[in-house]
Amino acid sequence: MYRGQKSGDSVPAATEADEADEADEADEADEADEADEAAALAAAERGFALWSKTPAWERAAVLRRAADLLRARNETYAFLMSGETGKPLLEARGEVNASAPKQRSGCDSRLWRIAWAPVFRGV
């Protein structure tokens, strides 16, 4: 359930891996109503407005920290991914391990382009 969800209803959320299993409490997902959807959209718009005003260097620091946390919590995220998708734990670990360096390098390359853009434009 995302923060602020008000309806309290849930719907079945079975995956192919669950078909052979009996349904249990973990096989349900929270259902949002129109008020929940409106609240989520409003929160996203507020977040976008704030994030857009944040300087690139500060955004990069946040994204680098997120990549560091992803790597540090690899086992937790791999376990969650495996449970959610039915993917083998070894494969999930590989995906999580591969995503942190990609996030970091993407962030660094964008900063490089921002820093050097005036030079390339002849400013």
Side-chain angles (χ1 to χ4, degrees):
M1 177 161 80
Y2 73 86
R3 197 173 338 150
Q5 192 263 6
K6 304 235 186 318
S7 70
D9 295 333
S10 60
V11 294
T15 65
E16 289 179 23
D18 295 329
E19 288 179 6
D21 299 335
E22 290 184 30
D24 60 23
E25 223 174 283
D27 291 334
E28 292 187 357
D30 296 317
E31 184 176 325
D33 60 19
E34 287 185 26
D36 295 325
E37 292 170 10
L41 287 171
E45 288 171 353
R46 287 191 307 274
F48 177 76
L50 179 63
W51 188 250
S52 297
K53 293 176 186 171
T54 304
W57 301 106
E58 289 178 35
R59 286 184 283 179
V62 170
L63 294 174
R64 280 192 190 113
R65 176 74 177 132
D68 293 343
L69 288 172
L70 190 61
R71 177 162 286 186
R73 298 173 182 168
N74 176 51
E75 193 64 21
T76 300
Y77 291 122
F79 181 77
L80 291 170
M81 181 188 292
S82 177
E84 182 179 306
T85 64
K87 182 177 293 217
L89 188 56
L90 185 62
E91 190 176 327
R93 282 184 187 127
E95 274 193 46
V96 175
N97 264 338
S99 64
K102 288 177 186 174
Q103 183 173 342
R104 250 187 173 297
S105 68
C107 177
D108 292 342
S109 68
R110 285 192 241 2
L111 281 176
W112 186 88
R113 285 187 299 236
I114 291 168
W116 287 94
V119 174
F120 294 127
R121 279 189 240 136
V123 176

